Amino acid sequence: MNILLTGANGYIGKRLLPVLIEQGHTIYCCLRDISRFDKSKYPENQIKLIEIDFLEENPDKSLPENIDVAYFLIHAMSSSVSNFEDKETLAAENFVSLLDNTSCKHILYLSGISNADKLSEHLRSRLNVESVLSGAKAALTTLRAGIIIGSGSASFEIIRDICEKLPMMITPRWLQSRCQPIAIRNVIEYLTKIPLDERFYNQSFDIGSDDVLNYKEMLLQYAEVRGLKRLILTLPIMTPRLSSYWLYFITSTSYPLAVNLVNSMKIDVVCAERKIKDLLDIHLISYKEAVALAFKKIDQDNVLSSWKDSINKETKYSHLDDVLKVPEFGTFKDIRRKEVLDVHKTMDNLWSIGGDTGWFYADWLWSIRGFMDKIWGGVGLRRGRTNRHDINAGDALDFWRVIVSNKEKKRLLLYAEMKLPGEAWLEFEIVRENGKYILTQTATFRPNGLMGRLYWYSVLPFHYFVFDGMASNLVKEKQRI
């Protein structure tokens, strides 16, 4: 069948797409930025790309007429504290308006469990989107899930951050709230078994595992799977604002996402019924098993997608192409050139930079810069990287974004997403000159007014040691100081 997939670059979309391909479907991938999508990973005859931003007012686009099934996987919770409801409503309205001009028979929407009497803004927004989608000509099936457990999911990575870093935790009272987690494998199974099954038309279903746990129990069970001993103390006096700051500084989450997560975690997210699992004969994976499966993927360096790689509307750019060309004029530059004795080792070093590997010189200074970025509301260093040895255009890499990752041309270009009074690029390129291979490492900074210039000169003494040391160690065998 012909399937329209929105959010194809998102956490769920990247997991869903290979399964749909394996089932033999033709997939029309809706993308806000085509340059972030690696089409080479999929059979050319089964993938069609459509660049469209459903968050724009009246997008001047059209969809293919011959659509059978459409997935709505667009969320805006991580991009804003205050107006994400308006964004999600706009996206749903644009989606319905365009989809009604096609032959689509079935829409599938992944929402959130919303059975509590008092809902968070996040869950109210999900219900509102469901209402908008129900007005489409095509039949709608809504799957309502709570916390999704899988390598790279926001919920899993937050639990992982907390448990791996804190032997003892002073936690807010919302850790007593109950939830019903579900493994990402089960979510994908539901999403791929339902299309065009009329038994599920114009209905909503709660999906979750057999485990009903509070968040404290989830942390302790995670620690048990990992062989860690953790002590958790709960403070009833910790306000939602303090809870949001606690989550923001302890984990890799953004502040808007931390605020929206805390507001949602204050209420119980438990299934009212789960009849759909029997209708589809789904074998539900337990919470502990889901954690263990996630670490199998992590240990194999086979994490297919991560919430950290998403680019939201709050960034300085809307497409990677906007920052692809490094400016030449009105900039400050730090250029280091080093002879490369072993191209393969240097390439391996370059493509493993950041995350747990570090930055090949003075990692403690990078950590201080990451902490300062967190203080100023930035992303800091805690995003790390999705894979240890592979990076692609669009990936998050600590407080950088990968713009170019071309092993054939031996070029890696990063764009800074840290808080700066200007814009910054970090470029690595290996070229052959006079029979020798040379690594050219270029840090470029385009200042924003006087504050930008003062910033550059204030960090210039550190650049001499950090950038020169990094370039020197990149051409060695991962020897760092």
Side-chain angles (χ1 to χ4, degrees), residues 37 301 303 404:
F37 187 86
D301 205 19
V303 179
V404 175

Side-chain angles (χ1 to χ4, degrees), residues 90-106:
L90 175 63
E93 290 173 344
N94 285 333
F95 176 79
V96 169
S97 176
L98 293 173
L99 195 69
D100 278 349
N101 295 320
T102 74
S103 59
C104 182
K105 305 176 187 68
H106 194 188

Side-chain angles (χ1 to χ4, degrees), residues 336-353:
R336 308 286 166 170
R337 289 168 52 84
K338 304 290 180 180
E339 183 179 351
V340 177
L341 300 179
D342 189 321
V343 174
H344 294 296
K345 285 182 180 178
T346 301
M347 289 282 289
D348 287 344
N349 288 345
L350 281 173
W351 261 258
S352 65
I353 201 167

Side-chain angles (χ1 to χ4, degrees), residues 17-87:
L17 180 56
V19 181
L20 296 175
I21 291 291
E22 188 177 346
Q23 291 178 345
H25 305 302
T26 298
I27 315 299
Y28 292 86
C29 295
C30 291
L31 304 151
R32 199 166 67 208
D33 183 2
I34 283 182
S35 64
R36 289 187 59 216
F37 187 86
D38 187 358
K39 193 176 179 180
S40 65
K41 294 180 178 179
Y42 308 103
E44 188 175 349
N45 63 328
Q46 287 183 258
I47 289 284
K48 313 292 181 184
L49 304 185
I50 304 170
E51 187 165 80
I52 182 171
D53 187 353
F54 288 101
L55 293 171
E56 286 183 353
E57 294 283 350
N58 302 314
D60 184 21
K61 296 284 183 177
S62 61
L63 300 176
E65 193 277 332
N66 60 334
I67 298 296
D68 299 307
V69 173
Y71 288 91
F72 187 81
L73 301 175
I74 298 171
H75 301 306
M77 187 174 73
S78 63
S79 65
S80 174
V81 174
S82 58
N83 65 341
F84 70 88
E85 290 184 79
D86 295 335
K87 292 180 178 180

